[in-house]
Amino acid sequence: MKRMKGVKVPHMKSTGDSIPARMTDLDIAVYPMVQHIGTPCKPVCRPGDPVYVGTLLGQKNGGLSSPIYSGVSGTVNKIEDILLSDGRYAPAVYVLPDGKMTPDPTIAPPTVTDLQGFIHAVEDSGIVGLGGAGFPTGVKLHVGDSSRIQEIIINGAECEPYITSDTRTMLDRGQDMQEGIRLLQKYLGAKKIIIAVEKNKPTCIRAMRSIAGGDDTVSVKVLPSVYPQGAEKVLIYHTTGKVVPEGGLPIDVGVIVLNCTTLAEIARYIRTGMPLVEKCVTVDGSAVASPMNVIVPIGATLEAVFNFCGAFKAQPGKVLYGGPMMGVSVPELSMPVLKQTNALLALDAKDAAPVDAANCIRCGRCTNVCPVGLAPVSIAAAYGSGSMETLQKIHTNLCMECGCCSYVCPAKRPLVQQNKLAKAALAAWLKSNR
Ligand code: SF4
Ligand code: SF4
């Protein structure tokens, strides 16, 4: 099987051995009503309302949405719009914690007896793709006839530099993952489950082989350590040899992909009824005093999380949600940890220094590394000339924003940024021409 392309990146996973420390002491918790791909939630609380850990703050709104729960106990302080890292505004619920972390007394395990009950439970749990994608997991499981499912891939390919939160799931939450696998077998009728891990994680490979042991329907696939190995289409191809068609979904080739932490959280919800209220986050980067993994109540501000890690040893030049390849720059440390936050990086001024882009030298490296065979130079040219027809013709929408092209460009062209702008312009054009 030919490999999809990609790049070798330095791993810099110094926190891989860091057993997550639990953070509970917060001054404020902030819950934007968008923490998923899809429609924002509707707040269901008012200022002055008491809340507990696991109390519903925002109910799902439409098919592609996911409920949002409080990660702390306390009192709703206010509801007001907040600027998100993608430039949009959304309502956010602010909770003043009481420091007690009292669980909501109504929490109870869901009653699940069949596939529909399982899917509804996953929808109610507030779980979204926890590897960073944020796609509502319950929606992903709505595949109609479950006999369409030939393989379920558990994604343990944590390919971005620095990030080790999924590594900790594989090392620390094997029992949750095993329970999750049993649930997939019982309710989705999964006949083949493949846990995919890159070969640079030998301890994870051993842990995953141990939870798969004795079950012929569960296997571990060891993958090369190439970025972006964990990207859904790349993972499916390297694990099964199947190619997801353009515009299609993994289920179109009989596959469902679930991130390993997502799987562990599903098991925990079905067992306890406690929805998604906390997240293991890797905190790292050259400006961070004590890089580590932290279990953070969702809603904690980034400032509080960095302070928990010994604050900054140098003035950060840039703070990112996520890793250096696909991470999104954070404008304010008052922004919160979201459901899909798996890492926070603070880079010092040297690491964050902007680079001056030079003219393209037509070396072709950007095209050579693109996992989906795009030509970033052509995308940039078509976007620059405003030719939406060309952007469509050269499959701009396939760009997964992995950043490989920018990473290898000797001229330091801002290719992935241009691709994002081009995709947004193309999507708006297609919508207006429907
Ligand atoms: S064009 Fe898109 S998919 Fe291809 S390397 Fe660049 S960012 Fe990745
Ligand atoms: S890698 Fe950079 S310099 Fe080379 S062709 Fe692509 S944009 Fe031009």
Side-chain angles (χ1 to χ4, degrees):
M1 179 172 68
K2 244 175 92 181
R3 279 201 196 132
M4 287 173 94
K5 295 167 185 168
V7 291
K8 292 258 184 202
V9 291
H11 301 299
M12 306 179 81
K13 293 181 184 281
S14 64
T15 57
D17 292 331
S18 159
I19 295 171
R22 188 172 286 277
M23 176 185 168
T24 54
D25 196 15
L26 274 62
D27 292 332
I28 189 81
V30 185
Y31 298 91
M33 293 289 104
V34 194
Q35 302 196 26
H36 49 264
I37 290 174
T39 320
C41 289
K42 284 186 186 157
V44 292
C45 52
R46 286 184 301 190
D49 283 355
V51 296
Y52 303 94
V53 178
T55 299
L56 182 69
L57 299 177
Q59 69 184 16
K60 75 191 273 270
N61 183 12
L64 192 57
S65 190
S66 178
I68 293 168
Y69 298 88
S70 182
V72 297
S73 55
T75 309
V76 175
N77 180 35
K78 60 182 178 180
I79 300 172
E80 65 179 31
D81 280 0
I82 188 172
L83 177 63
L84 305 173
S85 55
D86 65 2
R88 287 182 296 165
Y89 279 89
V93 175
Y94 289 71
V95 176
L96 279 176
D98 61 12
K100 296 178 185 164
M101 299 298 276
T102 311
D104 191 307
T106 64
I107 297 286
T111 303
V112 178
T113 55
D114 58 11
L115 174 60
Q116 284 316 310
F118 178 65
I119 293 173
H120 285 140
V122 174
E123 285 174 343
D124 289 345
S125 69
I127 296 170
V128 299
L130 298 179
F135 190 84
T137 304
V139 177
K140 191 179 254 194
L141 299 180
H142 273 292
V143 295
D145 180 0
S146 63
S147 67
R148 294 173 76 200
I149 305 168
Q150 293 161 10
E151 290 112 354
I152 297 181
I153 303 174
I154 309 302
N155 189 355
E158 195 171 43
C159 54
E160 272 247 12
Y162 290 99
I163 308 177
T164 61
S165 52
D166 283 343
T167 293
R168 290 318 314 180
T169 295
M170 289 185 274
L171 296 178
D172 305 334
R173 302 185 63 189
Q175 207 174 336
D176 282 344
M177 287 185 65
Q178 206 165 28
E179 261 180 63
I181 286 170
R182 300 291 166 256
L183 291 166
L184 300 179
Q185 290 169 326
K186 182 172 178 184
Y187 294 115
L188 290 173
K191 292 179 186 60
K192 194 170 180 189
I193 294 180
I194 307 168
I195 308 172
V197 192
E198 301 144 292
K199 72 174 178 194
N200 65 343
K201 300 182 181 67
T203 51
C204 294
I205 293 167
R206 279 198 295 278
M208 293 299 95
R209 281 188 174 141
S210 126
I211 71 166
D215 186 337
D216 294 344
T217 64
V218 184
S219 60
V220 177
K221 175 87 176 179
V222 178
L223 299 168
S225 314
V226 177
Y227 177 87
Q229 191 64 270
E232 198 166 69
K233 287 178 181 168
V234 178
L235 186 75
I236 291 170
Y237 180 67
H238 287 163
T239 306
T240 66
K242 295 178 177 178
V243 177
V244 179
E246 184 173 350
L249 296 168
I251 193 61
D252 295 333
V253 291
V255 177
I256 288 180
V257 178
L258 290 175
N259 164 269
C260 59
T261 305
T262 303
L263 178 72
E265 281 301 322
I266 289 173
R268 177 155 71 178
Y269 178 70
I270 300 292
R271 188 176 68 244
T272 67
M274 179 57 77
L276 182 66
V277 292
E278 64 182 23
K279 195 70 203 295
C280 178
V281 177
T282 300
V283 185
D284 205 342
S286 47
V288 178
S290 303
M292 62 171 85
N293 284 307
V294 187
I295 296 174
V296 182
I298 290 169
T301 64
L302 305 200
E303 184 177 23
V305 180
F306 283 119
N307 283 340
F308 185 81
C309 299
F312 298 121
K313 64 182 180 190
Q315 184 64 25
K318 187 181 265 189
V319 174
L320 295 170
Y321 275 128
M325 298 298 285
M326 291 191 75
V328 180
S329 187
V330 179
E332 301 277 351
L333 291 178
S334 58
M335 295 181 80
V337 166
L338 306 170
K339 289 178 182 183
Q340 63 272 48
T341 307
N342 54 4
L344 297 173
L345 295 191
L347 306 175
D348 64 18
K350 182 167 158 275
D351 282 357
V355 286
D356 291 329
N359 289 334
C360 171
I361 57 168
R362 304 269 162 199
C363 65
R365 287 187 203 174
C366 50
T367 301
N368 285 343
V369 297
C370 179
V372 285
L374 298 177
V377 174
S378 305
I379 294 174
Y383 177 64
S385 67
S387 174
M388 298 298 135
E389 290 87 354
T390 307
L391 285 179
Q392 186 179 21
K393 201 167 141 200
I394 60 179
H395 309 284
T396 303
N397 58 315
L398 283 182
C399 174
M400 58 176 105
E401 303 172 15
C402 65
C404 291
C405 49
S406 297
Y407 182 74
V408 297
C409 176
K412 306 297 175 203
R413 305 290 307 160
L415 298 171
V416 70
Q417 291 89 340
Q418 281 176 336
N419 294 349
K420 286 182 187 182
L421 293 170
K423 276 174 69 181
L426 177 60
W429 180 77
L430 288 171
K431 197 172 168 192
S432 67
N433 284 287
R434 249 185 226 146

